[in-house]
């Protein structure tokens, strides 16, 4: 009898301990998400904050007013694996730790799957930066490039059969590397598909919470762009890219440029036409959207008694590629390239309502108080526009127009396009 009572007490204590541990994990997860929200509100988000915020808006129960408030915050909507490619080793290590933290605390199945695949991509990137491990062999890249998630899964089954000896003698080292790279590419493809679905659910949820309607012609047409097994893989990927960019455009349209009153219908149409015209242009596949602002101190404008200040709208892209410095020339080649780095930016800032059109907006580069590896690029114009700033990599610019430099102001659009100086690789 006493043994039975003792056993029941132990079970009750273990149950209480388990409940306490679960409550503690939930508390830490809530606190992590609150910190992410605060950093985004203050316009200093970490990469993990952008990922966590999109997941919250897509998958987690929230009040309508919370959905609207969070949905109006300006955060980057580019694919997660492309975000990772822009990180240096320190940033990538920090993101890897943050991802592991979310993975250990999450209890929503969709979020867990997202963080699992994110961990694979980030840890591989960290490993490449830390060890200088060569990238994918050219023949392996030729097998994997452009394949959809379904095609990668089929290829994985075939590779497993080869390694199991079901298809006779094979080069085990070669097919072992193919299997390893397949895991990474599958994680990237899974993240890309999940990311598009996350953006679509976010878009519909914010729209429904804001005005009671989830109908959206863009997302309706986007559904038709999902992968179809009978289509060629490259065509499927192009359709997915178009779907993603349409969702990104719709989300950016949802986000106000400031807390000031909305401009007139005529002005909104002009600004939207500028944005959509830039969105419709053909873009280099190595470029991705860049929309995270850097915080700037509040300032009083001499003209704000007559005009209500508001931030301009913009459409920016970041260009990434391979850097052939002396170290990379020694340890890599064109068949085994190094990790990608940021090589330049394209800023397109829209000022359709600029009162003094004879005075063009200007830009200046300022020291970043938070890091020596980055600087703050600030754009300034006259009334009714506030300053807008972005944090960029601190490197020397290439001012040669033949190499992409552009600094113009025409028809209300300021364009500042530049690449960084680099040493080109020659055999």
């Amino acid at each position: 009898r006493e043994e039975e009572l003792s056993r029941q007490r132990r079970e009750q204590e273990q149950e209480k301990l388990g409940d306490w541990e679960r409550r503690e994990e939930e508390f830490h997860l809530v606190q992590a998400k609150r910190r992410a929200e605060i950093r985004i509100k203050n316009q200093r988000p970490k990469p993990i904050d952008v990922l966590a915020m999109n997941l919250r808006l897509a998958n987690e129960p929230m009040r309508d007013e919370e959905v609207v408030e969070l949905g109006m915050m300006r955060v980057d909507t580019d694919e997660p694996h492309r975000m990772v490619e822009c990180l240096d080793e320190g940033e990538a290590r920090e993101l890897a730790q943050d991802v592991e933290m979310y993975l250990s605390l999450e209890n929503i199945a969709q979020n867990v799957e997202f963080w699992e695949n994110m961990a694979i991509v980030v840890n591989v990137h960290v490993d490449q930066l830390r060890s200088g491990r060569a990238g994918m062999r050219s023949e392996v890249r030729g097998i994997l490039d452009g394949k959809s998630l379904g095609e990668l899964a089929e290829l994985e089954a075939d590779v497993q059969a080869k390694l199991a000896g079901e298809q006779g003698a094979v080069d085990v080292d070669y097919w072992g590397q193919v299997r390893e790279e397949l895991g990474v590419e599958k994680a990237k493809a899974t993240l890309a598909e999940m990311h598009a679905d996350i953006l679509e659910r976010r878009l519909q949820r914010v729209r429904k919470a804001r005005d009671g309607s989830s109908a959206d012609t863009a997302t309706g047409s986007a559904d038709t762009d999902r992968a179809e097994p009978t289509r060629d893989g490259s065509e499927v990927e192009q359709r997915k890219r178009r779907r993603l960019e349409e969702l990104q455009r719709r989300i950016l349209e949802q986000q106000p440029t400031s807390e000031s009153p909305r401009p007139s219908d005529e002005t909104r149409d002009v600004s939207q036409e500028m944005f959509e015209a830039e969105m419709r242009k053909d873009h280099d596949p190595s470029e991705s959207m860049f929309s995270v602002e850097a915080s700037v101190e509040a300032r009083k404008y001499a003209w704000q008694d007559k005009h209500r200040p508001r931030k301009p709208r913009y459409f920016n892209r970041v260009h990434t590629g391979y850097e052939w410095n002396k170290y990379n020339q020694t340890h890599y080649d064109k068949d085994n390239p190094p990790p990608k780095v940021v090589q330049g930016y394209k800023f397109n800032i829209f000022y359709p309502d600029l009162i003094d059109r004879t005075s063009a907006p200007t830009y200046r580069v300022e020291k970043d108080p938070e890091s020596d590896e980055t600087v703050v690029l600030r754009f300034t114009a006259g009334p009714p526009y506030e300053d807008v700033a972005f944090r960029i990599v601190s490197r020397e610019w290439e001012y040669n127009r033949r190499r992409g430099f552009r600094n113009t102001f025409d028809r209300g659009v300021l364009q500042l396009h530049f690449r960084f100086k680099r040493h080109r690789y020659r055999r």
Side-chain angles (χ1 to χ4, degrees), residues 10 36 86 92 112 148 197 236 342 374:
R10 286 197 301 272
C86 298
V112 170
S148 65
D197 291 339
V236 170
V342 175
T374 56

Side-chain angles (χ1 to χ4, degrees), residues 117-334:
N117 285 281
M118 196 71 203
I120 294 173
V121 173
V122 178
N123 287 328
V124 167
H125 185 65
V126 170
D127 183 53
Q128 287 181 340
L129 293 174
R130 179 180 55 206
S131 64
R133 180 172 60 86
M136 204 187 306
R137 287 162 55 176
S138 58
E139 59 267 33
V140 177
R141 183 181 296 105
I143 294 176
L144 302 182
D145 273 356
K147 284 189 167 47
S148 65
L149 181 58
E151 290 170 327
L152 289 171
E154 291 178 3
L155 180 58
E156 184 177 42
D158 185 55
V159 171
Q160 294 285 18
K162 290 180 185 295
L163 291 172
E166 298 177 10
Q167 300 179 16
V170 296
D171 185 339
V172 176
D173 290 338
Y174 171 76
W175 288 108
Q177 185 181 7
V178 172
R179 180 175 60 182
E180 179 182 343
E181 299 292 351
L182 257 170
V184 180
E185 293 304 308
K186 277 186 63 182
K188 290 181 179 180
T190 301
L191 282 173
E193 292 198 358
M194 293 187 74
H195 180 65
D197 291 339
I198 286 167
L199 293 189
E200 187 162 339
R201 289 196 299 273
R202 167 188 166 153
L203 181 69
Q204 293 176 334
R205 191 176 187 187
V206 173
R207 182 183 293 269
K208 183 177 181 180
R210 188 182 60 192
D211 50 34
S213 172
S214 60
D216 185 32
T217 56
T219 55
S221 63
D223 285 340
T224 64
D225 289 342
R226 295 181 188 271
E228 301 172 25
T230 58
R231 290 187 176 272
D232 175 72
S234 59
E235 182 180 352
V236 170
E237 293 307 305
Q238 291 174 3
R239 291 167 66 84
K240 286 181 181 178
R241 171 56 56 180
R242 288 195 297 270
R243 176 194 178 215
L244 176 62
E245 292 202 349
E246 175 67 10
L247 290 169
Q248 291 170 327
R249 183 180 67 82
R250 292 280 175 161
I251 287 174
L252 287 174
E253 286 180 351
Q254 278 185 338
Q255 299 167 350
T257 55
S258 72
E259 296 180 357
S260 58
R262 298 178 69 182
S264 65
D265 289 340
E266 180 180 357
T267 301
R268 278 206 310 277
D269 288 342
V270 172
S271 180
Q272 181 170 331
E273 286 174 5
M274 290 177 171
F275 181 89
E276 292 184 351
E278 190 63 35
M279 190 78 189
R280 284 193 296 268
K281 291 181 181 179
D282 291 333
H283 293 284
D284 191 319
S286 61
E287 295 176 354
S288 55
M289 293 181 67
F290 176 74
S291 59
V292 180
E293 298 179 23
S295 58
V296 294
E297 74 282 359
R299 57 174 292 195
K300 184 176 178 62
Y301 298 91
W303 43 262
Q304 67 184 46
D305 291 338
K306 296 181 180 180
H307 309 283
R308 189 69 174 268
R310 64 173 183 265
K311 284 187 179 179
R313 202 170 189 179
Y314 51 78
F315 184 89
N316 306 331
R317 286 187 174 258
V318 57
H319 179 89
T320 59
Y322 303 117
E323 188 68 34
W324 292 109
N325 53 37
K326 290 184 178 180
Y327 177 87
N328 287 344
Q329 290 179 38
T330 303
H331 294 82
Y332 301 95
D333 56 37
K334 291 184 177 179

Side-chain angles (χ1 to χ4, degrees), residues 74 290-296 312 314-316 345 347-349 375-379 388-392:
R74 303 183 72 150
F290 176 74
S291 59
V292 180
E293 298 179 23
S295 58
V296 294
Y314 51 78
F315 184 89
N316 306 331
Y345 297 89
F347 292 94
N348 303 278
I349 319 293
V375 292
V376 174
L377 179 61
R378 182 195 290 256
F379 293 90
V388 62
F390 305 90
R391 183 172 287 104
I392 64 172

Side-chain angles (χ1 to χ4, degrees), residues 36 58 85 99 164 170 197 209 233 237 245 261 277-278 320 336 341 350 386-388 395 415:
E85 291 174 353
V99 168
V170 296
D197 291 339
E237 293 307 305
E245 292 202 349
E278 190 63 35
T320 59
N336 300 285
V341 298
F350 308 127
E386 298 176 337
D387 291 0
V388 62
R395 291 180 59 186
Q415 291 189 321

Side-chain angles (χ1 to χ4, degrees), residues 366-379:
E366 302 174 345
K367 180 179 176 59
D368 185 354
E370 298 184 10
S371 173
D372 294 331
E373 297 181 354
T374 56
V375 292
V376 174
L377 179 61
R378 182 195 290 256
F379 293 90

Side-chain angles (χ1 to χ4, degrees), residues 384-419:
Y385 293 105
E386 298 176 337
D387 291 0
V388 62
F390 305 90
R391 183 172 287 104
I392 64 172
V393 176
S394 178
R395 291 180 59 186
E396 187 177 2
W397 295 12
E398 173 63 75
Y399 289 97
N400 190 328
R401 293 185 180 276
R402 294 182 179 179
R403 295 183 178 176
F405 182 78
R406 181 181 180 88
N407 180 25
T408 63
F409 180 63
D410 184 42
R411 299 179 184 180
V413 182
L414 174 65
Q415 291 189 321
L416 178 62
H417 300 179
F418 59 88
R419 296 285 184 92

